Amino acid sequence: MKLILLSKHPESCPVCQSYQPYARKKDLKKEFVVLSELDYQMLKALNVDGTPAIFILDYKSYSEEAIDLLKSLLKYKENAYVIVVNAPNEAEVAVNFLKAGAYHYFTQDLNYECLCNLIDEISAKKSLTDKQIKEEIDEYFIGNSPKIQKIKEILPKVAETNCNVLIGGETGTGKELVARLIHKLSPRAKAPFVVIDCTTLQETLFESEVFGFEKGAFTGAMSSKKGLIELADGGTLFLDEIGDLSLSIQKKFLRFLQERTFTRLGSTKPIKVDVRIIAATNKNLKEEIISGNFRADLYYRLNTVYLYLPPLRERKEDIPLIVDHYLNLKQKELKKEIKGYTKEFMKKLMEYDWPGNVRELINFIERAIILTEKDIISEELIEEYLELKKEDERIKQERHCDEGKTTALTDKETRKINLVEIEKKLILETLIKNNWNQTKTAIELGISRKQLITKMKKYGLFKERYHIGSKNSN
């Protein structure tokens, strides 16, 4: 990516003095070019017309002509990033430049560090054409149904921003795949993509795993260790199945999301990170909020953009495309040539609801390739698979019924035990209260003396056992 300074007086422009040392440090010296006028022939010679470029426009050199220069530049080159420097500290002028397409606007009081960070940010952006973006999305996300097309249209817009994204959908619909695609299409593509599996995140280990720890923070901490959040710095942090987090961990995550800072275990020094947050869940978080299982403030913090991935049963027209794609992919992996499948095979695939969604379909395709003895996959394989699924479901239901019976018996026995203990305790307390006088105790309990003696023998309630004297036991 070229960096071009447009200035009639580059020797007096502070950008040259501030940026050149930075350029040398980053080995960008060859990329830095100074032009006094917008020379299109020169730009073409620099091969700027075919690739993105950063233009730093020195307002002082052109004054009122600067905005026309900006418009001409953007008209000539759509994928240009124009940063205006040395501009007047006037809100109206700044607004006009930004409306005209300027990427950023600096006054004469130039913040060099901010300028360098801005150039870094732009340089990190992927220079994919619309066609390349479409190809990337189609390769990752198979399907042409209306619901999938709508998601495909949104993805590039979401990817180029840093906003938080919440992805909803049943298990197996491809939530992590979409999260990885957003990362791949974003300016953060070259930085890490770190996954936190919220289903396995133990409360006792949360801080050490996610925030990291310092040497000596606890027994066995022989050296410092970066947490998952710190490892994702500059990239994307993917919170998989966030709906499974406990409320106490949700509170800690919320604090981090608000401030983008955290503290390692055993340290008091806050660490600031630059991460993009993408979360996914197979739960209805609005219902979880009503049930008291999920924090509303965390939900709204995560839900800047919401993407819902429909289950496969709601987009069955995509099944042939998915099958063809993965049939081609898996046969190469398994080194087995498959020419195709029968019409009846596809018909039965379309009839099945695929509760495990795309993941289940992909696993079945792999199974079919392995088990078929011919180069054409026949319907017998899907029929056999569906019979196995029915058998699994029958066994599951039987097990569920047996567990229900066991639970019912256990509950009944527990209630019985509890009642016995309550009765024993009540009789003992009443006996002690009445100095083991059986007649008074029986009257107070509303039973006969004979019944009381029977229960005392049953529960082993004898005064000798409790070392309590009695004036009169009658």
Side-chain angles (χ1 to χ4, degrees):
M1 187 176 281
K2 302 291 182 184
L3 178 65
I4 299 163
L5 172 65
L6 287 169
S7 176
K8 290 181 179 178
H9 313 288
E11 67 285 347
S12 62
C13 182
V15 174
C16 286
Q17 288 79 31
S18 66
Y19 188 74
Q20 288 290 20
Y22 170 83
R24 282 195 294 272
K25 185 180 176 183
K26 293 281 186 179
D27 196 26
L28 296 173
K29 194 174 181 181
K30 292 179 182 177
E31 302 288 330
F32 194 93
V33 179
V34 179
L35 296 177
S36 58
E37 299 292 343
L38 189 57
D39 187 335
Y40 296 114
Q41 287 299 113
M42 177 66 79
L43 291 176
K44 195 169 184 179
L46 290 168
N47 194 29
V48 171
D49 55 334
T51 57
I54 304 169
F55 292 88
I56 299 175
L57 178 57
D58 181 12
Y59 179 91
K60 264 190 175 181
S61 291
Y62 307 98
S63 299
E64 294 177 0
E65 295 175 7
I67 196 161
D68 294 326
L69 190 60
L70 167 68
K71 290 175 181 177
S72 299
L73 184 57
L74 291 174
K75 189 176 180 181
Y76 168 74
K77 185 171 178 58
E78 290 182 358
N79 57 346
Y81 300 89
V82 183
I83 300 171
V84 182
V85 298
N86 269 346
N89 190 10
E90 296 176 20
E92 189 179 346
V93 177
V95 168
N96 288 338
F97 268 93
L98 293 171
K99 278 185 176 180
Y103 190 80
H104 207 88
Y105 181 95
F106 286 103
T107 62
Q108 293 177 34
D109 185 19
L110 182 62
N111 185 322
Y112 301 142
E113 185 180 355
C114 184
L115 174 64
C116 292
N117 288 339
L118 204 61
I119 292 168
D120 260 352
E121 179 187 309
I122 296 169
S123 299
K125 287 183 181 289
K126 293 201 71 167
S127 55
L128 293 175
T129 63
D130 290 342
K131 184 182 177 183
Q132 288 172 319
I133 290 170
K134 186 180 183 303
E135 287 172 356
E136 287 278 359
I137 292 172
D138 287 342
E139 185 180 343
Y140 261 73
F141 210 17
I142 314 299
N144 286 325
S145 59
K147 289 181 179 180
I148 295 304
Q149 285 292 4
K150 189 175 180 181
I151 294 169
K152 286 182 175 183
E153 288 171 12
I154 295 170
L155 281 178
K157 298 173 187 176
V158 173
E160 66 184 14
T161 70
N162 280 321
C163 69
N164 295 337
V165 180
L166 180 61
I167 305 171
E170 295 178 7
T171 300
T173 49
K175 296 185 291 294
E176 183 174 339
L177 184 145
V178 171
R180 288 184 181 276
L181 180 56
I182 291 171
H183 174 74
K184 191 174 182 181
L185 296 175
S186 76
R188 298 172 180 268
K190 293 180 182 178
F193 179 89
V194 177
V195 179
I196 295 181
D197 183 356
C198 299
T199 60
T200 60
L201 206 55
Q202 296 179 32
E203 200 155 339
T204 51
L205 299 174
F206 168 76
E207 290 190 67
S208 60
E209 288 293 317
V210 176
F211 295 150
F213 55 83
E214 295 292 347
K215 182 180 178 181
F218 51 84
T219 305
M222 306 303 291
S223 60
S224 298
K225 180 188 173 184
K226 289 183 177 181
L228 295 170
I229 287 176
E230 200 169 347
L231 291 172
D233 192 18
T236 302
L237 186 67
F238 177 55
L239 307 174
D240 194 17
E241 299 304 346
I242 190 133
D244 288 3
L245 284 183
S246 67
L247 287 168
S248 61
I249 293 180
Q250 288 176 36
K251 185 178 179 182
K252 292 173 184 176
F253 255 124
L254 178 64
R255 189 177 296 114
F256 163 69
L257 288 174
Q258 287 169 336
E259 301 169 5
R260 286 295 198 276
T261 59
F262 66 94
T263 306
R264 284 185 188 174
L265 199 63
S267 172
T268 56
K269 183 182 176 183
I271 298 173
K272 191 170 183 64
V273 290
D274 170 30
V275 293
R276 199 243 181 99
I277 305 293
I278 302 177
T281 181
N282 60 8
K283 295 182 177 181
N284 185 326
L285 292 187
K286 288 183 178 179
E287 289 181 0
E288 292 296 301
I289 291 167
I290 294 167
S291 303
N293 298 323
F294 202 82
R295 294 179 64 105
D297 46 6
L298 179 58
Y299 170 76
Y300 290 115
R301 179 72 63 171
L302 293 168
N303 193 23
T304 307
V305 173
Y306 180 71
L307 297 175
Y308 173 72
L309 304 188
L312 194 53
R313 63 182 175 275
E314 291 180 9
R315 57 179 188 107
K316 285 190 173 183
E317 61 266 47
D318 290 332
I319 289 176
L321 286 172
I322 297 168
V323 171
D324 290 345
H325 176 82
Y326 284 100
L327 195 61
N328 182 51
L329 190 69
K330 295 293 180 182
Q331 67 173 315
K332 289 177 183 176
E333 288 179 9
L334 298 167
K335 296 178 181 177
K336 191 171 181 181
E337 188 179 353
I338 303 293
K339 292 180 179 177
Y341 44 79
T342 64
K343 287 182 179 180
E344 192 62 29
F345 173 80
M346 180 54 68
K347 183 185 175 184
K348 289 190 179 293
L349 289 184
M350 296 288 283
E351 288 171 352
Y352 182 49
D353 274 345
W354 300 101
N357 294 296
V358 178
R359 188 184 298 159
E360 183 186 358
L361 178 57
I362 294 169
N363 289 342
F364 169 73
I365 293 166
E366 189 168 358
R367 171 194 170 92
I369 293 169
I370 293 168
L371 296 180
T372 187
E373 295 177 357
K374 303 173 183 176
D375 56 6
I376 299 291
I377 301 175
S378 65
E379 61 273 16
E380 282 81 6
L381 285 166
I382 182 65
E383 288 169 354
E384 179 190 319
Y385 177 75
L386 294 177
E387 282 300 317
L388 287 171
K389 294 291 287 185
K390 284 179 185 177
E391 182 64 18
D392 288 345
E393 190 60 34
R394 186 186 63 79
I395 293 168
K396 192 187 294 182
Q397 286 178 355
E398 285 180 0
R399 189 181 294 122
H400 181 72
C401 289
D402 291 342
E403 286 174 358
K405 289 175 184 176
T406 304
T407 304
L409 286 170
T410 304
D411 289 346
K412 190 175 179 181
E413 288 167 2
T414 302
R415 286 195 296 273
K416 187 177 178 182
I417 291 166
N418 288 341
L419 287 171
V420 167
E421 289 298 322
I422 291 167
E423 185 180 51
K424 179 181 176 181
K425 186 179 179 184
L426 179 61
I427 293 170
L428 178 60
E429 288 175 350
T430 312
L431 280 166
I432 293 170
K433 176 185 173 185
N434 291 305
N435 293 318
W436 291 82
N437 186 304
Q438 294 171 4
T439 303
K440 286 182 179 179
T441 301
I443 292 169
E444 190 170 328
L445 290 172
I447 58 176
S448 68
R449 186 168 179 270
K450 187 179 178 181
Q451 286 175 315
L452 174 63
I453 292 168
T454 303
K455 289 182 183 293
M456 286 173 68
K457 287 178 181 178
K458 178 183 176 181
Y459 298 137
L461 299 175
F462 304 109
K463 60 182 177 181
E464 293 83 5
R465 178 176 291 181
Y466 294 92
H467 305 288
I468 297 172
S470 172
K471 292 178 183 177
N472 185 9
S473 61
N474 295 316

PDB file of all heavy atoms in Angstrom, residues 252-263:
ATOM      1  N   LYS A 252     -17.960 -10.357  35.074  1.00  0.00           N
ATOM      2  CA  LYS A 252     -16.542 -10.058  34.806  1.00  0.00           C
ATOM      3  C   LYS A 252     -16.332  -9.728  33.327  1.00  0.00           C
ATOM      4  O   LYS A 252     -15.545  -8.835  32.997  1.00  0.00           O
ATOM      5  CB  LYS A 252     -15.673 -11.244  35.221  1.00  0.00           C
ATOM      6  CG  LYS A 252     -15.647 -11.453  36.738  1.00  0.00           C
ATOM      7  CD  LYS A 252     -14.911 -12.736  37.106  1.00  0.00           C
ATOM      8  CE  LYS A 252     -14.971 -12.974  38.608  1.00  0.00           C
ATOM      9  NZ  LYS A 252     -14.353 -14.260  39.000  1.00  0.00           N
ATOM     10  N   PHE A 253     -17.020 -10.449  32.445  1.00  0.00           N
ATOM     11  CA  PHE A 253     -16.906 -10.173  31.018  1.00  0.00           C
ATOM     12  C   PHE A 253     -17.471  -8.795  30.673  1.00  0.00           C
ATOM     13  O   PHE A 253     -16.918  -8.075  29.846  1.00  0.00           O
ATOM     14  CB  PHE A 253     -17.643 -11.236  30.205  1.00  0.00           C
ATOM     15  CG  PHE A 253     -16.725 -12.206  29.531  1.00  0.00           C
ATOM     16  CD1 PHE A 253     -16.856 -13.570  29.748  1.00  0.00           C
ATOM     17  CD2 PHE A 253     -15.724 -11.772  28.692  1.00  0.00           C
ATOM     18  CE1 PHE A 253     -16.010 -14.470  29.134  1.00  0.00           C
ATOM     19  CE2 PHE A 253     -14.862 -12.659  28.075  1.00  0.00           C
ATOM     20  CZ  PHE A 253     -15.011 -14.014  28.307  1.00  0.00           C
ATOM     21  N   LEU A 254     -18.570  -8.440  31.319  1.00  0.00           N
ATOM     22  CA  LEU A 254     -19.193  -7.139  31.068  1.00  0.00           C
ATOM     23  C   LEU A 254     -18.232  -6.012  31.408  1.00  0.00           C
ATOM     24  O   LEU A 254     -18.087  -5.054  30.645  1.00  0.00           O
ATOM     25  CB  LEU A 254     -20.486  -7.000  31.884  1.00  0.00           C
ATOM     26  CG  LEU A 254     -21.211  -5.657  31.755  1.00  0.00           C
ATOM     27  CD1 LEU A 254     -21.705  -5.447  30.325  1.00  0.00           C
ATOM     28  CD2 LEU A 254     -22.390  -5.584  32.726  1.00  0.00           C
ATOM     29  N   ARG A 255     -17.557  -6.134  32.543  1.00  0.00           N
ATOM     30  CA  ARG A 255     -16.598  -5.106  32.956  1.00  0.00           C
ATOM     31  C   ARG A 255     -15.479  -4.972  31.925  1.00  0.00           C
ATOM     32  O   ARG A 255     -15.059  -3.876  31.574  1.00  0.00           O
ATOM     33  CB  ARG A 255     -16.013  -5.461  34.322  1.00  0.00           C
ATOM     34  CG  ARG A 255     -15.173  -4.333  34.928  1.00  0.00           C
ATOM     35  CD  ARG A 255     -14.674  -4.684  36.316  1.00  0.00           C
ATOM     36  NE  ARG A 255     -15.751  -4.848  37.272  1.00  0.00           N
ATOM     37  CZ  ARG A 255     -16.055  -5.996  37.862  1.00  0.00           C
ATOM     38  NH1 ARG A 255     -15.366  -7.105  37.584  1.00  0.00           N
ATOM     39  NH2 ARG A 255     -17.048  -6.070  38.720  1.00  0.00           N
ATOM     40  N   PHE A 256     -15.018  -6.122  31.403  1.00  0.00           N
ATOM     41  CA  PHE A 256     -13.973  -6.086  30.382  1.00  0.00           C
ATOM     42  C   PHE A 256     -14.479  -5.437  29.093  1.00  0.00           C
ATOM     43  O   PHE A 256     -13.787  -4.619  28.480  1.00  0.00           O
ATOM     44  CB  PHE A 256     -13.471  -7.502  30.082  1.00  0.00           C
ATOM     45  CG  PHE A 256     -12.714  -7.602  28.788  1.00  0.00           C
ATOM     46  CD1 PHE A 256     -11.471  -7.017  28.660  1.00  0.00           C
ATOM     47  CD2 PHE A 256     -13.268  -8.239  27.688  1.00  0.00           C
ATOM     48  CE1 PHE A 256     -10.783  -7.078  27.451  1.00  0.00           C
ATOM     49  CE2 PHE A 256     -12.597  -8.301  26.489  1.00  0.00           C
ATOM     50  CZ  PHE A 256     -11.346  -7.722  26.370  1.00  0.00           C
ATOM     51  N   LEU A 257     -15.689  -5.781  28.667  1.00  0.00           N
ATOM     52  CA  LEU A 257     -16.253  -5.224  27.435  1.00  0.00           C
ATOM     53  C   LEU A 257     -16.445  -3.716  27.523  1.00  0.00           C
ATOM     54  O   LEU A 257     -16.277  -3.004  26.537  1.00  0.00           O
ATOM     55  CB  LEU A 257     -17.599  -5.886  27.134  1.00  0.00           C
ATOM     56  CG  LEU A 257     -17.555  -7.343  26.664  1.00  0.00           C
ATOM     57  CD1 LEU A 257     -18.959  -7.907  26.549  1.00  0.00           C
ATOM     58  CD2 LEU A 257     -16.840  -7.466  25.331  1.00  0.00           C
ATOM     59  N   GLN A 258     -16.773  -3.230  28.709  1.00  0.00           N
ATOM     60  CA  GLN A 258     -16.997  -1.795  28.894  1.00  0.00           C
ATOM     61  C   GLN A 258     -15.700  -1.009  28.801  1.00  0.00           C
ATOM     62  O   GLN A 258     -15.646   0.075  28.223  1.00  0.00           O
ATOM     63  CB  GLN A 258     -17.672  -1.549  30.249  1.00  0.00           C
ATOM     64  CG  GLN A 258     -19.139  -1.977  30.286  1.00  0.00           C
ATOM     65  CD  GLN A 258     -19.712  -1.969  31.686  1.00  0.00           C
ATOM     66  OE1 GLN A 258     -18.992  -2.083  32.669  1.00  0.00           O
ATOM     67  NE2 GLN A 258     -21.025  -1.829  31.797  1.00  0.00           N
ATOM     68  N   GLU A 259     -14.631  -1.560  29.384  1.00  0.00           N
ATOM     69  CA  GLU A 259     -13.377  -0.811  29.499  1.00  0.00           C
ATOM     70  C   GLU A 259     -12.277  -1.304  28.568  1.00  0.00           C
ATOM     71  O   GLU A 259     -11.282  -0.610  28.359  1.00  0.00           O
ATOM     72  CB  GLU A 259     -12.886  -0.872  30.954  1.00  0.00           C
ATOM     73  CG  GLU A 259     -13.909  -0.293  31.947  1.00  0.00           C
ATOM     74  CD  GLU A 259     -13.530  -0.595  33.390  1.00  0.00           C
ATOM     75  OE1 GLU A 259     -12.441  -1.157  33.613  1.00  0.00           O
ATOM     76  OE2 GLU A 259     -14.337  -0.280  34.290  1.00  0.00           O
ATOM     77  N   ARG A 260     -12.424  -2.513  28.034  1.00  0.00           N
ATOM     78  CA  ARG A 260     -11.392  -3.155  27.203  1.00  0.00           C
ATOM     79  C   ARG A 260     -10.062  -3.256  27.954  1.00  0.00           C
ATOM     80  O   ARG A 260      -8.986  -3.265  27.354  1.00  0.00           O
ATOM     81  CB  ARG A 260     -11.197  -2.406  25.878  1.00  0.00           C
ATOM     82  CG  ARG A 260     -12.312  -2.597  24.859  1.00  0.00           C
ATOM     83  CD  ARG A 260     -12.403  -4.042  24.386  1.00  0.00           C
ATOM     84  NE  ARG A 260     -13.142  -4.213  23.159  1.00  0.00           N
ATOM     85  CZ  ARG A 260     -14.458  -4.326  23.040  1.00  0.00           C
ATOM     86  NH1 ARG A 260     -15.207  -4.279  24.130  1.00  0.00           N
ATOM     87  NH2 ARG A 260     -15.047  -4.503  21.875  1.00  0.00           N
ATOM     88  N   THR A 261     -10.147  -3.329  29.258  1.00  0.00           N
ATOM     89  CA  THR A 261      -8.962  -3.533  30.092  1.00  0.00           C
ATOM     90  C   THR A 261      -9.236  -4.673  31.067  1.00  0.00           C
ATOM     91  O   THR A 261     -10.380  -4.970  31.390  1.00  0.00           O
ATOM     92  CB  THR A 261      -8.592  -2.272  30.899  1.00  0.00           C
ATOM     93  OG1 THR A 261      -9.688  -1.922  31.740  1.00  0.00           O
ATOM     94  CG2 THR A 261      -8.236  -1.112  29.993  1.00  0.00           C
ATOM     95  N   PHE A 262      -8.171  -5.314  31.519  1.00  0.00           N
ATOM     96  CA  PHE A 262      -8.285  -6.388  32.501  1.00  0.00           C
ATOM     97  C   PHE A 262      -7.000  -6.427  33.324  1.00  0.00           C
ATOM     98  O   PHE A 262      -6.007  -5.757  33.008  1.00  0.00           O
ATOM     99  CB  PHE A 262      -8.510  -7.734  31.802  1.00  0.00           C
ATOM    100  CG  PHE A 262      -7.327  -8.181  30.976  1.00  0.00           C
ATOM    101  CD1 PHE A 262      -6.361  -9.017  31.501  1.00  0.00           C
ATOM    102  CD2 PHE A 262      -7.168  -7.728  29.665  1.00  0.00           C
ATOM    103  CE1 PHE A 262      -5.262  -9.404  30.758  1.00  0.00           C
ATOM    104  CE2 PHE A 262      -6.078  -8.112  28.901  1.00  0.00           C
ATOM    105  CZ  PHE A 262      -5.122  -8.954  29.453  1.00  0.00           C
ATOM    106  N   THR A 263      -7.012  -7.210  34.364  1.00  0.00           N
ATOM    107  CA  THR A 263      -5.838  -7.361  35.221  1.00  0.00           C
ATOM    108  C   THR A 263      -5.521  -8.840  35.366  1.00  0.00           C
ATOM    109  O   THR A 263      -6.404  -9.648  35.648  1.00  0.00           O
ATOM    110  CB  THR A 263      -6.105  -6.756  36.621  1.00  0.00           C
ATOM    111  OG1 THR A 263      -6.534  -5.407  36.462  1.00  0.00           O
ATOM    112  CG2 THR A 263      -4.845  -6.779  37.459  1.00  0.00           C
TER     113      THR A 263
END
